[in-house]
Amino acid sequence: MSTPPAAPSAPAWPHCAHGADPATDPVGCRGIHVPGRTACLAHLADTDRDAYLAGLTPGADIDHRGTPFTRDLLNRLLTALHDPTTQLPHLGTAGFDRAQFTGDAEFGRARFSGTAWFEGAQFSGHALFEGAQFSGHALFGGAQFTDTALFGGARFTGNALFGGARFTDVAGFSGARFTGAAGFDRAQFTGAAGFDRAQFTDTAWFDRAQFTDTAWFDRAQFTDTAGFSGAQFSGTAGFSGAQFTGTAGFSGAQFTDTAGFGRARFTDTAWFSGARFSDTAWFSGAQFTGTAWFSGAQFTGTAWFDGAQFTGTAWFDGAQFTDTAWFDGAQFTDTAWFDGAQFLTASWWGPVVCAGVLDLSGAVFGAPVTLEIAAREVRCVRTRWESTATARIRYASVDLGYAVPTAPVAVTAHPAPFTTPSGRAVDETLLAGPAMVRVASVQGVDAALLVLTDTDLTDCLFSGAFHLDQIRLEGRTLFAPPPTGWHRRGLRPLRWTRRRALAEEHHWRAQTAGQPAPAAGQAPSPRRWRTGAHHPDPARTPDPDDVAALYRQLRKAFEDGKNEPGAADFYYGECEMRRHDHTGTPMTERGLLWAYWLLSGYGLRATRALGWLAAAMLATIVLLMGFGLPESSPRQEATGTVPSGGGKVTFTIDKQDPKNPARNRFTSQRFEKALNITLNSVVFRSSGQDLTTTGTYIEMTSRLLEPALLALAVLAVRGRIKR
């Protein structure tokens, strides 16, 4: 059983009630009584109507709420209000609430000195307000415009409220000026809506407005807040060249067709959080001076941000780019947040210039992509690459901690300034200094899929990376050296061996030495170990056992890459960490490592081994001259017995033991002989010289120690030149 429609309610004012029928329309005509009469203007007797119109003067207040107007009746009313000076209608306070305009309603260039009430009015024909001037408030809330509504060039000095109004056909506000608040919230524009070149000096509200056809706001000027939150644009939305001096709110807005914001200027905050762009979104050359919020925005079609400039913080966190996202030539003066953003089909991203932090943490790249970024810092923490990716970076410190590559990912330092796909050079004046790329961390990354080319790994953290022995380090790769210059440990001077060292070793040595961290903003001194982010907390600083494992894996990576000299430094670092590891390395092994380090720098320092060899040879020479060489060559004596019968003779040969001379042991002749013996010992050959008993032992020791030192020196040289 259907519910019968509710009976129409009577208006709050005394109404005409013409044509009332108790059965069908008990209210009848809702037009307000003409003053001193019992009928509305439309149903007055001709003589009464003529008398009323004749009594009107320009600027008079009129009240014709609910009155039905034909075109002729409205023209007669406006003619009665003509100002003889301007020959234009001049109305004071005008009450047309719920009035019905059957034909064209021609208010063009009319002047409303007081409030203009058109709330709930119905315009069946053209509504022509072009060039009209509203000195007071203009209230069109809930009005219905069935045909064309033209307000082009109109001036609204007071508030212009069109909340909930319905425009079935074209709504033209081109060049209109709104000095007071402009309220179009929940308005419905079924036809084209033209607000191009309109000027909104005060707040402009279009929240939850519906634009079924084209909405033109090209070159419109919004001096104060422009609210389009929740607005629906089913047709093209044109905001090209628009200027938003105040806050621009498009949060939750839906753009079914093309959204054009090319060259638009947003001086204050621009809110596009949660906005949906189903077709192409044009922000080419747009300027965002304040914060730009695109958090959670969805771009189903192509998103054009080429040449856009973001002076304030840019938030694209959680945004979804289903199609290509063009950011070539975009510039970010402050931080650009793309954390959690999804780039599902983008094959090219950039080149982008960011003077602050470009955060891609948690972002997802679903297709093979090439990224070109010039920034001060790039964060790719937990970034996910579903396919191959190449990141060409300039100037930046790159954090790849816990990134998730499922295919090879290459991070490369780009040597030359970027150019756009059209060949135009990208402006990088926001950045200064060397364009070297620094990698801050690869912790938690599957390094087997990572390629780093021409990168600075001075402060890079490797702890926690998987398959670190399979990482590929190409080109010119820099690591942090130990501190430079001479240092003191107690009374003993020392100097650190020049080599490549990992940041984890720097952090451990700085922590164990009690070294203070540099002041904020101060560059670390090359004469000190570099401190870590958690300095001096020992619980969050890797210990020697952990660092040794990192050195071991990186050594294998260098060896697999046929870079033996580079691998040698990591072998040195591994042995250093094992030598200092008091938990995982036994004391005996640490003692052997200590001797190995002392004699030859773990078989990697030829000068140290040669120095010890020279010292050993000198000591051997001195000892042989002092104790090993006899005073003279021993003489042989033969003694025998001759039988009286002249029989057989038997000889006994006795050799005297060599003796040290009592004096003159250190002569040039003895030095030459000792040197000959020592040199022969180095190459494992016996000298063939007669030596004292002490000299024999000295030679034996020399033949054992000195060839070993020579072998260590040869091994060190081979490690530096082998490929």
Side-chain angles (χ1 to χ4, degrees):
M1 183 177 179
S2 60
T3 304
S9 59
W13 54 80
H15 60 288
C16 175
H18 178 79
D21 186 343
T24 59
D25 185 7
V27 178
C29 176
R30 293 163 176 76
I32 192 171
H33 293 170
V34 172
R37 306 290 191 273
T38 58
C40 68
L41 182 61
H43 297 110
L44 274 179
D46 292 341
T47 55
D48 292 336
R49 184 185 302 115
D50 293 340
Y52 168 73
L53 294 176
L56 295 177
T57 59
D61 296 336
I62 59 174
D63 186 0
H64 296 288
R65 290 174 285 175
T67 302
F69 281 93
T70 62
R71 179 177 182 179
D72 178 68
L73 179 60
L74 178 60
N75 289 339
R76 290 183 63 188
L77 175 63
L78 296 179
T79 300
L81 296 170
H82 262 56
D83 188 336
T85 304
T86 62
Q87 296 299 314
L88 297 174
H90 181 191
L91 296 78
T93 300
F96 290 97
D97 293 344
R98 298 173 64 179
Q100 301 176 17
F101 300 90
T102 305
D104 294 344
E106 300 180 5
F107 288 91
R109 303 177 66 187
R111 177 183 175 187
F112 295 85
S113 300
T115 302
W117 298 87
F118 286 89
E119 292 186 327
Q122 298 182 12
F123 296 85
S124 301
H126 299 308
L128 305 176
F129 288 86
E130 294 177 297
Q133 297 184 21
F134 297 87
S135 300
H137 300 311
L139 307 178
F140 287 83
Q144 297 184 18
F145 299 86
T146 305
D147 210 321
T148 303
L150 300 178
F151 288 82
R155 297 185 179 183
F156 299 87
T157 304
N159 296 333
L161 304 180
F162 288 81
R166 295 184 180 181
F167 298 86
T168 306
D169 208 314
V170 175
F173 288 84
S174 301
R177 296 183 180 181
F178 299 85
T179 306
F184 289 86
D185 46 308
R186 299 186 310 279
Q188 298 181 15
F189 298 86
T190 306
F195 287 86
D196 47 307
R197 301 187 309 279
Q199 297 182 14
F200 298 87
T201 305
D202 206 323
T203 305
W205 298 105
F206 288 85
D207 297 336
R208 289 179 289 175
Q210 297 182 14
F211 299 87
T212 305
D213 207 320
T214 304
W216 299 106
F217 288 86
D218 298 333
R219 290 179 289 173
Q221 297 182 14
F222 298 87
T223 305
D224 208 312
T225 301
F228 289 85
S229 299
Q232 298 182 14
F233 298 86
S234 300
T236 300
F239 288 86
S240 299
Q243 297 183 17
F244 298 86
T245 306
T247 302
F250 288 86
S251 299
Q254 298 183 19
F255 299 86
T256 305
D257 208 319
T258 301
F261 288 87
R263 301 183 308 280
R265 295 184 180 181
F266 300 87
T267 305
D268 207 320
T269 304
W271 293 92
F272 287 88
S273 301
R276 296 183 179 182
F277 299 86
S278 301
D279 207 311
T280 304
W282 294 93
F283 287 89
S284 303
Q287 298 182 15
F288 298 86
T289 305
T291 304
W293 291 91
F294 287 87
S295 304
Q298 298 183 14
F299 298 86
T300 306
T302 304
W304 293 90
F305 285 89
D306 52 308
Q309 298 182 11
F310 298 84
T311 305
T313 305
W315 294 88
F316 286 86
D317 50 308
Q320 296 183 12
F321 298 88
T322 305
D323 207 324
T324 304
W326 295 99
F327 282 85
D328 47 302
Q331 294 190 357
F332 299 88
T333 305
D334 207 322
T335 304
W337 299 94
F338 286 86
D339 47 312
Q342 298 184 20
F343 301 90
L344 302 182
T345 61
S347 60
W348 196 279
W349 198 81
V352 167
V353 178
C354 181
V357 178
L358 180 62
D359 196 322
L360 292 169
S361 300
V364 178
F365 292 89
V369 64
T370 298
L371 297 93
E372 292 188 340
I373 302 171
R376 186 62 55 200
E377 181 180 350
V378 178
R379 296 176 186 170
C380 294
V381 180
R382 296 183 177 86
T383 301
R384 183 178 182 87
W385 283 280
E386 299 288 352
S387 188
T388 57
T390 299
R392 300 172 182 170
I393 311 294
R394 287 174 58 79
Y395 300 98
S397 171
V398 183
D399 189 348
L400 298 170
Y402 305 98
V404 186
T406 58
V409 173
V411 177
T412 304
H414 197 67
F418 292 120
T419 58
T420 63
S422 61
R424 179 175 54 86
V426 175
D427 184 8
E428 297 181 0
T429 55
L430 291 176
L431 301 167
M436 188 68 182
V437 175
R438 304 166 301 281
V439 179
S441 172
V442 295
Q443 293 179 298
V445 180
D446 187 352
L449 300 172
L450 189 60
V451 181
L452 304 179
T453 304
D454 295 331
T455 53
D456 183 352
L457 304 180
T458 298
D459 294 303
C460 182
L461 299 177
F462 291 93
S463 55
F466 304 99
H467 303 127
L468 191 57
D469 58 328
Q470 300 179 43
I471 192 173
R472 291 182 58 188
L473 303 177
E474 306 287 349
R476 184 170 178 266
T477 302
L478 300 180
F479 287 87
T484 58
W486 287 95
H487 304 266
R488 296 175 61 90
R489 180 173 292 174
L491 298 177
R492 179 169 60 92
L494 61 87
R495 185 173 183 175
W496 299 103
T497 301
R498 307 305 299 162
R499 60 184 173 90
R500 299 175 179 179
L502 295 183
E504 282 86 352
E505 180 183 354
H506 274 262
H507 300 168
W508 174 77
R509 289 188 182 273
Q511 186 267 322
T512 54
Q515 178 180 307
Q522 180 181 357
S525 172
R527 293 182 53 83
R528 291 176 174 268
W529 295 100
R530 305 170 78 92
T531 57
H534 306 293
H535 182 80
D537 185 2
R540 305 185 69 176
T541 302
D543 55 34
D545 189 25
D546 298 326
V547 182
L550 298 178
Y551 274 119
R552 188 179 305 115
Q553 295 181 75
L554 286 173
R555 173 173 61 87
K556 182 178 182 301
F558 271 74
E559 290 173 346
D560 292 343
K562 305 303 179 182
N563 187 351
E564 295 293 339
D569 280 349
F570 290 107
Y571 177 70
Y572 191 105
E574 177 188 352
C575 292
E576 276 285 280
M577 293 297 96
R578 290 171 58 197
R579 183 165 68 92
H580 290 284
D581 181 17
H582 292 269
T583 58
T585 305
M587 182 182 297
T588 304
E589 184 177 341
R590 283 190 283 113
L592 292 174
L593 287 170
W594 184 88
Y596 194 22
W597 164 79
L598 184 64
L599 292 176
S600 64
Y602 310 112
L604 297 173
R605 298 295 180 261
T607 54
R608 188 178 304 182
L610 290 174
W612 281 110
L613 176 60
M617 292 175 64
L618 180 60
T620 301
I621 291 172
V622 172
L623 290 174
L624 286 174
M625 292 175 65
F627 306 101
L629 297 178
E631 183 178 6
S632 62
S633 299
R635 298 189 301 269
Q636 296 182 355
E637 296 180 358
T639 60
T641 303
V642 179
S644 60
K648 181 179 180 181
V649 179
T650 302
F651 293 94
T652 301
I653 300 176
D654 187 17
K655 184 177 182 180
Q656 297 178 350
D657 291 335
K659 297 180 180 180
N660 289 314
R663 58 182 181 176
N664 296 329
R665 297 185 180 185
F666 299 97
T667 63
S668 60
Q669 184 179 2
R670 289 173 64 82
F671 173 78
E672 182 180 358
K673 186 178 289 187
L675 178 61
N676 184 45
I677 294 172
T678 302
L679 292 176
N680 283 323
S681 299
V682 173
V683 292
F684 292 94
R685 290 199 306 117
S686 174
S687 64
Q689 299 286 340
D690 292 316
L691 301 173
T692 65
T693 302
T694 303
T696 301
Y697 285 107
I698 293 173
E699 183 188 28
M700 292 172 60
T701 304
S702 175
R703 290 171 63 186
L704 176 64
L705 177 61
E706 291 168 4
L709 292 174
L710 178 61
L712 290 174
V714 173
L715 179 64
V717 173
R718 179 178 180 274
R720 284 299 175 185
I721 64 176
K722 181 183 177 183
R723 286 291 179 184

